[in-house]
């Protein structure tokens, strides 16, 4: 049966309409696939562009705050609170200073609060798999096992794959091949052979050889600075602990060549934090906290300092909790309050390469 011209024309229009729809869908699909590819490229480039952290944050506090705790369990718990606060806000250095006078120090030889605090802080910062190698049994660590773990990025499990790991040099013959050295326990099934020969018992940061394959018999690495993971990948890599014999030594014995370029004192007599719009640019920031009687008492304990006004020792003297509802703020509380209030300012003012 022959079809009429009208029917044939309608069929052509329908065919052309369907063809246009198919082309449109194909075109849209092409754009969608291109968009997905572009998004993938953006994600890849974002992953590749990892910014490191090139500034440091230090806090200082008196070891005498430990004496305010009534039992050894509470003293240990207090030290744990300080360690947790430091890790939460990525503190790089904790300075424990002695604010006791000579006569009081002699009476505290049996239980030195400064050494007690330093020991607990160092123990908690150390990865669990290295603690038995670095810390012999000590009475100060009696209740350390009850504390909440810090769970820092460098506190890794055995199966974790990471470019850096903390380790301890083992007391075994080193590899005599060129470019090889001591063996290091990094908390994995295999010990790592590093590029240097070091004294046994030394803690080191090791960069694992990227060509190492899981399950291979040998694993190699290179010793790097503990600051390298932060500079290269922006990873928080724990804190160091420094013991200062006096209040003045907090400032004069800085581990950085240029010292601290920004110092902040915290006190209820300082300027309100809400009056600070931003911090000056810095490379090494130091925030100092007082004890039970504040920074004024810390200044009085150091006879070597001629300055009578403690606020003049700092670039900024701040009250980080104005209009407080309690007569006193404990030092461990002040650390959390102050670091929380300053956190955004620190991130924006910290040195960037």
């Amino acid at each position: 049966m022959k079809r009429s011209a009208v029917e044939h024309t309608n069929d052509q229009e329908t065919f052309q309409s369907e063809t246009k729809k198919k082309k449109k869908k194909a075109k849209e699909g092409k754009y969608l696939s291109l968009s997905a590819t572009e998004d993938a490229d953006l994600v890849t480039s974002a992953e590749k562009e990892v910014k490191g952290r090139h500034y440091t944050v230090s806090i200082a506090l008196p070891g005498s705050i430990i004496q305010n705790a009534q039992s050894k369990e509470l003293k240990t718990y207090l030290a744990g609170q300080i360690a947790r606060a430091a890790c939460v806000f990525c503190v790089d250095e904790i300075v424990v200073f002695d604010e006791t006078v000579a006569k009081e120090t002699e009476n505290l030889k049996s239980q030195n609060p400064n050494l007690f605090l330093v020991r607990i802080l160092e123990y908690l910062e150390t990865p669990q798999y290295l603690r038995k190698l670095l810390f012999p049994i000590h009475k100060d660590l009696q209740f350390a096992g009850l504390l909440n773990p810090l769970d820092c990025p460098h506190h890794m499990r055995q199966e974790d794959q990471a470019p850096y790991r903390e380790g301890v040099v083992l007391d075994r013959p080193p590899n005599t091949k060129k470019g090889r050295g001591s063996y290091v326990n990094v908390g994995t099934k295999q010990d790592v052979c590093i590029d240097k020969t070091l004294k046994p018992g030394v803690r080191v940061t090791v960069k694992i050889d990227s060509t190492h394959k899981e399950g291979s018999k040998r694993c190699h690495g290179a010793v790097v600075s503990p600051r390298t993971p932060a500079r290269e990948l922006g990873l928080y890599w724990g804190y160091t602990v420094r013991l200062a014999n006096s209040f003045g030594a907090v400032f004069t014995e800085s581990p950085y060549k240029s010292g601290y370029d920004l110092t902040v004192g915290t006190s209820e007599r300082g300027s309100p934090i809400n009056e600070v719009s931003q911090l000056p640019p810095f490379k090494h920031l130091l925030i100092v906290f007082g004890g039970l009687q504040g920074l004024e008492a810390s200044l009085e304990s150091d006879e070597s300092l001629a300055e009578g006004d403690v606020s003049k020792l700092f670039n900024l003297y701040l009250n980080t909790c104005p209009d407080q509802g309690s007569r006193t703020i404990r030092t461990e509380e002040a650390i959390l309050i102050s670091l929380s209030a300053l956190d955004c300012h620190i991130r924006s003012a910290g040195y960037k390469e």
Side-chain angles (χ1 to χ4, degrees):
M1 182 182 291
K2 292 185 178 180
R3 302 172 66 187
S4 67
V6 175
E7 288 176 337
H8 182 70
T9 303
N10 289 338
D11 287 345
Q12 277 188 327
E13 288 177 354
T14 303
F15 176 78
Q16 290 174 354
S17 176
E18 289 177 353
T19 304
K20 285 181 181 180
K21 286 180 181 180
K22 288 179 181 179
K23 287 183 177 180
K24 187 177 181 181
K25 285 183 179 180
K27 195 174 183 181
E28 287 176 350
K30 183 181 179 181
Y31 286 144
L32 285 172
S33 62
L34 283 173
S35 178
T37 305
E38 289 171 356
D39 288 343
D41 291 340
L42 288 172
V43 171
T44 305
S45 62
E47 288 175 350
K48 289 180 180 178
E49 188 181 350
V50 180
K51 293 183 179 179
R53 187 162 73 98
H54 301 280
Y55 62 87
T56 64
V57 177
S58 303
I59 62 173
L61 65 153
S64 61
I65 64 170
I66 291 295
Q67 293 175 279
N68 196 40
Q70 297 176 347
S71 66
K72 196 169 186 178
E73 293 94 325
L74 292 175
K75 293 177 193 289
T76 304
Y77 185 73
L78 173 56
Q81 285 181 295
I82 294 168
R84 283 284 303 170
C87 284
V88 168
F89 291 99
C90 302
V91 170
D92 302 287
E93 180 194 27
I94 302 178
V95 186
V96 178
F97 62 88
D98 187 0
E99 65 170 4
T100 57
V101 295
K103 291 182 180 179
E104 291 177 349
T105 305
E106 290 178 4
N107 297 331
L108 293 172
K109 282 184 179 179
S110 58
Q111 180 68 58
N112 189 315
N114 306 303
L115 294 178
F116 180 89
L117 179 55
V118 167
R119 187 171 282 111
I120 297 292
L121 292 175
E122 289 181 335
Y123 179 83
L124 288 176
E125 190 277 335
T126 303
Q128 290 87 336
Y129 58 86
L130 297 180
R131 288 175 181 173
K132 287 185 178 180
L133 297 172
L134 294 174
F135 292 90
I137 295 174
H138 195 281
K139 59 182 181 180
D140 288 350
L141 302 175
Q142 181 180 358
F143 299 104
L146 301 176
L147 296 176
N148 297 319
L150 302 187
D151 205 20
C152 302
H154 67 297
H155 288 201
M156 297 179 187
R157 284 72 175 170
Q158 187 182 70
E159 66 278 4
D160 289 346
Q161 299 294 319
Y164 300 96
R165 291 187 78 104
E166 287 294 290
V168 171
V169 180
L170 297 173
D171 188 9
R172 58 180 282 192
N175 192 327
T176 55
K177 291 183 179 179
K178 186 178 180 181
R180 306 299 179 191
S182 302
Y183 287 91
V184 177
N185 177 0
V186 295
T188 56
K189 293 180 180 179
Q190 296 174 312
D191 297 329
V192 176
C193 181
I194 57 175
D195 57 338
K196 297 178 181 178
T197 302
L198 300 176
K199 183 179 177 182
V202 175
R203 177 176 165 179
V204 292
T205 303
V206 179
K207 183 176 183 179
I208 306 299
D209 189 350
S210 58
T211 59
H212 171 70
K213 296 180 180 179
E214 188 177 357
S216 61
K217 294 182 179 180
R218 298 178 182 179
C219 183
H220 302 290
V223 176
V224 297
S225 166
R227 286 286 303 157
T228 301
R231 292 195 190 102
E232 298 295 328
L233 302 178
L235 291 174
Y236 175 62
W237 212 247
Y239 55 77
T240 58
V241 185
R242 175 164 67 92
L243 179 61
N245 294 324
S246 65
F247 182 55
V250 172
F251 307 93
T252 59
E253 297 178 1
S254 169
Y256 310 110
K257 291 182 180 180
S258 57
Y260 304 107
D261 50 358
L262 179 60
T263 55
V264 178
T266 59
S267 171
E268 61 180 4
R269 300 172 186 83
S271 304
I273 183 67
N274 48 27
E275 293 182 2
V276 178
S277 58
Q278 62 181 15
L279 293 177
F282 68 87
K283 250 188 174 182
H284 305 295
L285 168 67
L286 172 66
I287 307 172
V288 185
F289 301 90
L292 298 176
Q293 299 176 350
L295 287 174
E296 291 77 12
S298 301
L299 176 61
E300 290 178 4
S301 69
D302 192 346
E303 297 178 355
S304 65
L305 294 175
E307 182 59 61
D309 185 357
V310 68
S311 65
K312 293 183 179 179
L313 296 175
F314 303 96
N315 300 117
L316 295 172
Y317 198 59
L318 301 176
N319 179 0
T320 55
C321 187
D323 303 320
Q324 63 194 55
S326 174
R327 291 189 183 92
T328 58
I329 294 179
R330 299 170 65 90
T331 304
E332 65 272 21
E333 296 169 342
I335 293 173
L336 277 171
I337 293 168
S338 300
L339 292 177
S340 179
L342 292 169
D343 187 51
C344 291
H345 298 295
I346 291 171
R347 294 177 186 276
S348 60
Y351 176 74
K352 299 174 181 64
E353 286 190 350

